[in-house]
Amino acid sequence: MSIKRPSKSTGTAVRKSVTSPGMRHVDVTAPHQMIPGDLYSGWLCKNKSCGLLIAIAPPQAGSKPASAQADDQLVVIKCPHCGDENLYRWSARSEHKYAVKSAGP
Ligand SMILES: [Zn+2]
């Protein structure tokens, strides 16, 4: 007489969220994915020696659009150009034209 245990599927993948409550992480577009002259929604880098456009990455398919959440919230954005992390107000984002720095003197 054999007793077979019902095989429970371990399909509940537990993912640890590193985002602390109240602070949101926003994905940004990598510089090599940005086209100079195109408009992107985002912020200009607060680093004065950088000042380049930080573009919000478009929401992935199937995920909820981030813009549906509270608009007046501070988000931590890491500049993809200089690597500086700064706080940006979510509602302060606007469309900017991506301009690369001219390699002039
Ligand atoms: Zn920067």
Side-chain angles (χ1 to χ4, degrees):
M1 184 174 160
S2 63
I3 300 166
K4 272 193 177 177
R5 282 188 179 179
S7 57
K8 270 190 181 177
S9 63
T10 50
T12 47
V14 180
R15 271 195 170 185
K16 272 193 178 178
S17 176
V18 286
T19 47
S20 52
M23 204 61 87
R24 217 139 50 82
H25 178 79
V26 176
D27 286 326
V28 295
T29 308
H32 66 264
Q33 290 177 310
M34 297 164 72
I35 303 151
D38 268 20
L39 282 172
Y40 293 92
S41 183
W43 304 264
L44 292 175
C45 181
K46 284 183 177 177
N47 187 352
K48 280 178 181 172
S49 62
C50 175
L52 289 174
L53 171 62
I54 304 167
I56 303 165
Q60 289 180 351
S63 68
K64 288 178 186 173
S67 55
Q69 295 177 23
D71 8 295
D72 206 29
Q73 197 174 6
L74 286 173
V75 288
V76 182
I77 303 281
K78 187 175 185 178
C79 177
H81 308 285
C82 65
D84 256 31
E85 270 189 343
N86 269 303
L87 286 172
Y88 295 86
R89 199 166 283 276
W90 183 247
S91 59
R93 74 199 187 282
S94 58
E95 293 222 310
H96 296 278
K97 190 186 264 189
Y98 178 52
V100 284
K101 277 184 181 173
S102 58

